[in-house]
Amino acid sequence: MINLIIIFVILTVSLIPFSASFNQQITLNINNFHNEIFVKNISQCPKLTPRQTLPRSVHDLRIDDIKVIMALGDSITAGFGAKGHNVKAPIDIHKLHENRGVSFSIGGDPGAVTIANFIQHYSPELIGPSTGDHLVELCYGLICPPYQYKPEKDRFNAAQSGMMASNLTIELNYLLEQLYKEPMEVVLKSYKLLNFFIGSNDICFRCSNDLPWLTPEQFENYLISTLDVIRSEIPNTIVNLLGVFNVSQVYNFHGEDYCKGWGLVANYECSCAFVPGVVGALNRKKMDETAMEYNKAIRNVVDHYASHRSNTFAVVYHGNNIDLLTFPVEGLSNIDCFHPSIISHEFIAKTLWNNLVLPSNKRNGRIEWDDDVDIRCFGENDRINTNLT
């Protein structure tokens, strides 16, 4: 009997470290479950258990509540040149494609690393992502030919290459036309996310043309007039309003071998950025100043709607303070060494996605290139953050 007691004591003492280790392992797993989870592929994120209580407003949305995705913007949102082509070959107009299926904000090609596809992982019935590739749709100032949209591929991606803030009515009319082809249940009741990114072409044009319709004040007015229509015509929408970045920084890549042969194209797209010498330096300084002024205007717009809080409409500011000088040259499309390539679209998609649940003051810092950005998994208690702080 004494021997059995001794054996029992020895076993008990020897099992204490194992028991402590086992309990610690359980604790760690629980903590990991409650903490943020980051993965390499969105398919690795756990699906969310359906909500027992419906959202109270646009300020109470989980990512799986989003059923419609939309976009307004310019050639970047349209995915112009994202896949590039052999720049040593003669320029072929048939290669001047918008690769809308890989657009960072709304691309829906299978396997594409985009915000739309991230949402679709959680909300499989999502409608609106653009797909595939097609010849460029051009709207630049007064040059906006009609009947360019290809609804079967564009879907709710209303962006057009060359678009300026003054032309946004064209995009808005297209978006409304397509949206109202859907059942009224979708239009009025479904919760929607609209990614809105405009201003790069305005910046490119303003360096030597200080026209009234390019001023920060007018830029702000264009945004508000567009958003007012969205608020009244497309209820239950969160607008993710992206800031502009310093477009002038593309000039720093002009000496790279990767960029040889692109000069004519880029000079047409943004002549302000590529003038050499003292004049060019002054142009680029003016571009950077304009970017700062436009971002202030964008924040004013967000403040305006925050002061008119609504349960069916919200505008959130998403700083886009990208430092292009930290990007590899391959981050630019080799069709013109001006537009982002597919790897930049993927990087931007991950960065914006990871910040969606953060308050504004934590998602507006400087964005530097990272070769290996992981993708955030959203939990059942995560909400798209519509607060300014």
Side-chain angles (χ1 to χ4, degrees), residues 73-302:
D74 54 31
S75 52
I76 296 178
T77 300
F80 178 80
K83 296 179 181 178
H85 77 284
N86 180 7
V87 293
K88 293 184 179 180
I91 293 295
D92 180 352
I93 192 171
H94 295 293
K95 293 178 180 177
L96 298 179
H97 278 170
E98 293 169 346
N99 308 125
R100 293 186 175 236
V102 299
S103 168
F104 74 93
S105 67
I106 194 170
D109 280 359
V113 179
T114 69
I115 291 175
N117 278 350
F118 294 163
I119 294 175
Q120 199 150 37
H121 170 74
Y122 293 100
S123 184
E125 64 272 37
L126 183 74
I127 64 172
S130 53
T131 58
D133 318 299
H134 60 63
L135 194 62
V136 61
E137 296 172 4
L138 181 65
C139 179
Y140 187 70
L142 298 177
I143 307 172
C144 288
Y147 310 117
Q148 292 191 90
Y149 281 112
K150 299 168 180 60
E152 70 283 358
K153 290 187 175 182
D154 297 346
R155 296 294 283 132
F156 297 166
N157 183 353
Q160 287 198 325
S161 294
M163 180 63 63
M164 295 184 186
S166 56
N167 301 123
L168 280 168
T169 301
I170 294 171
E171 294 194 1
L172 191 54
N173 287 342
Y174 167 79
L175 183 58
L176 290 171
E177 179 184 347
Q178 297 307 309
L179 189 62
Y180 274 84
K181 290 179 181 178
E182 301 293 330
M184 291 305 294
E185 183 79 10
V186 171
V187 177
L188 299 178
K189 294 187 178 180
S190 293
Y191 285 105
K192 312 162 193 72
L193 177 69
L194 188 151
N195 290 310
F196 193 173
F197 181 33
I198 198 74
S200 295
N201 292 308
D202 302 73
I203 292 172
C204 280
F205 197 72
R206 192 178 179 224
C207 71
S208 57
N209 301 276
D210 205 4
L211 300 171
W213 50 277
L214 292 172
T215 64
E217 294 76 17
Q218 190 57 53
F219 181 76
E220 183 176 327
N221 290 337
Y222 287 136
L223 295 182
I224 288 179
S225 61
T226 301
L227 290 169
D228 277 349
V229 174
I230 294 168
R231 180 173 58 176
S232 63
E233 298 291 332
I234 314 176
N236 293 321
T237 294
I238 292 180
V239 178
N240 191 26
L241 188 55
L242 277 61
V244 297
F245 63 96
N246 286 350
V247 187
S248 68
Q249 291 181 339
V250 295
Y251 175 78
N252 294 276
F253 294 93
H254 79 286
E256 302 274 0
D257 287 340
Y258 176 89
C259 295
K260 298 297 184 185
W262 55 268
L264 289 176
V265 177
N267 277 328
Y268 172 75
E269 292 170 317
C270 191
S271 58
C272 282
F274 298 105
V275 176
V278 176
V279 174
L282 291 172
N283 281 354
R284 289 184 288 278
K285 182 174 181 291
K286 179 67 177 290
M287 291 175 69
D288 293 345
E289 291 170 351
T290 299
M292 291 178 61
E293 293 168 345
Y294 280 7
N295 278 328
K296 184 177 185 299
I298 291 171
R299 289 191 293 271
N300 289 342
V301 170
V302 175

Side-chain angles (χ1 to χ4, degrees), residues 321-323 326-327 347 351 365-371 373:
N321 188 17
I322 294 173
D323 186 352
T326 66
F327 278 48
F347 170 77
T351 302
R366 184 165 166 264
I367 301 173
E368 297 184 359
W369 179 261
D370 185 343
D371 286 321
V373 179

